[in-house]
Amino acid sequence: MTRVTRVRLDLAYDGTEFAGWARQRSGVRTVQQVLEEALTAVLRVSEPVQLTVAGRTDSGVHASGQVAHFDLPDGVWAAHQEKLLRRLAGKLPMDVRVAKVSVAPEGFDARFAATSRRYIYRVCDSKVGTLPTRRGFVLWHNRELDLDRLTEASKLLLGEHDFAAYCKKREGATTIRRLLDVHWERTRPDEVAATIEADAFCHSMVRALVAALLMAGDGRCAPEFPAEVLAGRERHPSVNVLPPHGLTLEEVKYPDDAELAARVEETRRIRVLGC
């Protein structure tokens, strides 16, 4: 058998012109498609490169700390490793950048070895709207937001729960997640940012959570409202999924190298609430 090297990519992208991360049969432009085609071309391999990613971002969502991996025959890696980063910089469109290329440690899997993902959702609460230079990355919310109310509501969501009320359900997929951190800060006089970290997220979860929290933060609902929606385990008619452009995947965390294989095994188990 041909020996292979597992290669880790650390990358960033502006999601504005992408229909999300994952390849689609319709042939629309996606980050995975653009990156796999660039890798296949610069490596000059006969079989197309296939990437595994830490988290599949939705259409229009950005990333500054995305992680992916692919396997490559040892000989191909040896021939290209020193030049791969520079060649990718010249081949990729400017809305995708690979920041680092490295050999992954034994047991590494970009998706299953991850211990958490951290997102930031940015919101402008100015009455006059978002600055034109920031409108592609910040949501305009035409109501003043109170950080104390946002913080109070956020604390009630922490821990392991069934987040079915905030997820787009998929057949055979669990909606049980462990929310590790939710905190808000005013990063500019006219902007607040929600940092949300969990062991994993399901489809549209972050944008739905932030939507409910904004309703508490601007006074339309009590701070307990987002937790009450969570407890109901069903989508609430008042909670809409926010637009994607305010959301950025900032970081993916992994355990120490010696713990990678155990983490992969743990992640692959079907989760049951309380176990």
Side-chain angles (χ1 to χ4, degrees):
M1 295 180 62
T2 303
R3 294 179 60 86
V4 298
T5 298
R6 176 153 293 186
V7 181
R8 169 175 168 163
L9 301 179
D10 290 77
L11 63 142
Y13 46 86
D14 177 341
T16 305
E17 300 298 328
F18 288 107
W21 165 269
R23 275 186 178 269
Q24 299 182 29
R25 293 180 180 178
S26 60
V28 295
R29 187 173 185 256
T30 69
V31 182
Q32 182 181 14
Q33 166 247 320
V34 165
L35 192 52
E36 287 180 345
E37 289 180 358
L39 283 165
T40 301
V42 299
L43 292 170
R44 300 170 187 169
V45 289
S46 56
E47 294 293 325
V49 170
Q50 295 184 352
L51 290 168
T52 297
V53 73
R56 295 184 176 187
T57 50
D58 296 335
S59 177
V61 175
H62 315 294
S64 60
Q66 181 68 280
V67 179
H69 81 253
F70 65 98
D71 294 330
L72 201 62
D74 285 357
V76 178
W77 169 247
H80 291 274
Q81 58 178 317
E82 298 298 331
K83 303 174 183 177
L84 182 55
L85 192 62
R86 179 175 56 81
R87 287 177 174 172
L88 281 174
K91 186 69 175 178
L92 286 167
M94 293 306 295
D95 50 1
V96 185
R97 293 289 95 185
V98 174
K100 185 179 179 181
V101 178
S102 58
V103 175
E106 185 176 353
F108 179 83
D109 184 291
R111 177 186 176 189
F112 290 109
T115 55
S116 71
R117 288 88 172 160
R118 178 170 60 85
Y119 283 86
I120 290 183
Y121 198 101
R122 295 176 172 89
V123 183
C124 169
D125 62 349
S126 167
K127 293 180 180 179
V128 301
T130 310
L131 285 173
T133 54
R134 296 183 62 76
R135 65 187 177 88
F137 303 91
V138 181
L139 174 75
W140 181 35
H141 185 73
N142 192 20
R143 294 173 184 265
E144 187 175 355
L145 293 166
D146 184 287
L147 284 182
D148 290 336
R149 292 178 64 89
L150 289 168
T151 299
E152 183 180 353
S154 299
K155 287 180 179 179
L156 300 175
L157 301 174
L158 295 175
E160 186 174 70
H161 307 283
D162 186 342
F163 283 91
Y166 291 107
C167 296
K168 184 176 180 180
K169 295 182 180 179
R170 292 180 175 177
E171 190 67 29
T174 181
T175 50
I176 297 171
R177 299 290 187 269
R178 182 176 291 109
L179 199 57
L180 303 170
D181 179 37
V182 184
H183 70 266
W184 294 78
E185 58 183 326
R186 188 163 289 279
T187 53
R188 297 165 58 97
D190 59 346
E191 284 183 22
V192 297
T195 296
I196 303 182
E197 183 177 353
D199 57 353
F201 292 92
C202 40
H203 189 232
S204 77
M205 178 176 159
V206 178
R207 291 187 284 146
L209 278 173
V210 175
L213 291 169
L214 290 181
M215 295 173 70
D218 64 22
R220 284 178 291 164
C221 297
E224 294 79 16
F225 172 71
E228 292 169 356
V229 172
L230 175 66
R233 297 192 182 185
E234 292 186 0
R235 297 300 290 265
H236 194 284
S238 298
V239 179
N240 297 316
V241 176
L242 293 178
H245 68 275
L247 185 61
T248 300
L249 173 60
E250 294 276 329
E251 183 184 18
V252 183
K253 295 180 181 178
Y254 295 94
D256 294 336
D257 292 355
E259 300 172 0
L260 287 169
R263 175 60 186 172
V264 169
E265 183 179 351
E266 178 186 355
T267 305
R268 288 181 178 274
R269 296 189 188 125
I270 297 176
R271 284 204 270 193
V272 178
L273 197 60
C275 296

